Amino acid sequence: MDTFLWYVELAWDYVQQMLPCALAAGIVFFCVLPLRRRRLAARGLSSPVLREAGLLLFALFVAGLAGLTVFPANFWPSLPVLLRSGPNWQTLRPGAGFYWNITLLDELLDGGAWRMFLMLGNLAMFAPFGFFSALLWRRPRWWKSVLAAFGASVLIEVVQLFVGRSSDINDIILNTLGGAAGYAVFLLLRRLAPRFAARFQCTRMEVPNGRETGDRTAAP
């Protein structure tokens, strides 16, 4: 129980670090919403409320993840000090390099509570890439979800090389597996509630005589 509460405390700390960028993403999302709706209408499409909610959640998550991973370590807790004293360019220093040794099995068997938390976190944080990429865009495929998680993970690990953080092949493997897990959750949702899952797709707008212009389809 103590370990679980410790995990919750750590997770909440990470969520707090995600909030600034997530808030900024939410503002941008609503600012560009009218433009997106006009573009969809020009193509004869409309985006249901559920799809917009899904897009918003995904945008908040991606921005929050960026805030958590591509900034120097402890950037957000020390932000008030940085604002008072000015930027500290020493934070933009090379990291410790890329760690190429695959040690997942050793960490799983004898990694302790902290390593287990990191492994679970790396899986969970990238599951939304696999889930939302399948839910919100047309023609979902497992390899698209896996590729989305893999690409995002590689990008983050490369950026971390330049902000004084560690980069690890184990993180990329876990993140990619997280994307696959997210796609599996999508398949489960589509199997159990196909009509609900379909409501996250764009629909054709009605023509003047009241008929729809086509079947449900997704838009980028």
Side-chain angles (χ1 to χ4, degrees):
M1 185 65 179
D2 291 340
T3 301
F4 174 75
L5 294 176
W6 182 56
Y7 281 178
V8 171
E9 183 179 353
L10 288 172
W12 174 241
D13 180 63
Y14 285 154
V15 169
Q16 289 178 302
Q17 295 183 56
M18 296 172 72
L19 288 177
C21 287
L23 178 60
I27 295 173
V28 173
F29 180 90
F30 286 108
C31 287
V32 302
L33 182 59
L35 176 62
R36 287 184 50 252
R37 285 180 171 173
R38 287 197 296 269
R39 289 184 59 189
L40 287 173
R43 299 169 57 186
L45 299 171
S46 63
S47 182
V49 173
L50 273 180
R51 185 172 189 273
E52 291 300 312
L55 285 170
L56 175 60
L57 286 176
F58 190 39
L60 295 178
F61 168 77
V62 171
L65 182 63
L68 182 64
T69 58
V70 302
F71 287 84
N74 299 316
F75 175 83
W76 298 109
S78 61
L79 184 59
V81 177
L82 293 176
L83 292 176
R84 290 195 301 268
S85 61
N88 182 7
W89 300 110
Q90 291 182 351
T91 58
L92 299 178
R93 64 186 187 278
F98 197 91
Y99 186 76
W100 288 100
N101 294 331
I102 299 177
T103 58
L104 292 177
L105 183 59
D106 292 338
E107 293 177 6
L108 181 63
L109 296 177
D110 193 27
W114 171 243
R115 294 304 304 177
M116 183 61 65
F117 174 81
L118 292 180
M119 292 179 69
L120 293 175
N122 275 299
L123 286 169
M125 283 193 304
F126 280 74
F129 283 98
F131 177 76
F132 283 106
S133 62
L135 183 68
L136 298 174
W137 281 269
R138 60 181 178 177
R139 300 188 185 93
R141 298 290 186 273
W142 70 266
W143 60 267
K144 293 181 180 180
S145 294
V146 169
L147 185 61
F150 174 77
S153 180
V154 169
L155 177 61
I156 289 172
E157 296 300 319
V158 169
V159 173
Q160 288 182 340
L161 289 171
F162 302 96
V163 294
R165 304 185 68 157
S166 60
S167 299
D168 194 333
I169 187 65
N170 296 285
D171 290 347
I172 294 178
I173 295 173
L174 289 171
N175 297 159
T176 304
L177 291 175
Y183 182 78
V185 173
F186 161 75
L187 290 180
L188 181 63
L189 174 65
R190 189 173 64 176
R191 183 177 182 84
L192 296 178
R195 292 185 178 180
F196 178 74
R199 294 172 64 185
F200 288 88
Q201 298 286 298
C202 280
T203 58
R204 292 287 180 181
M205 299 176 66
E206 292 186 354
V207 294
N209 62 7
R211 292 182 294 105
E212 286 190 346
T213 61
D215 296 330
R216 289 179 179 269
T217 184

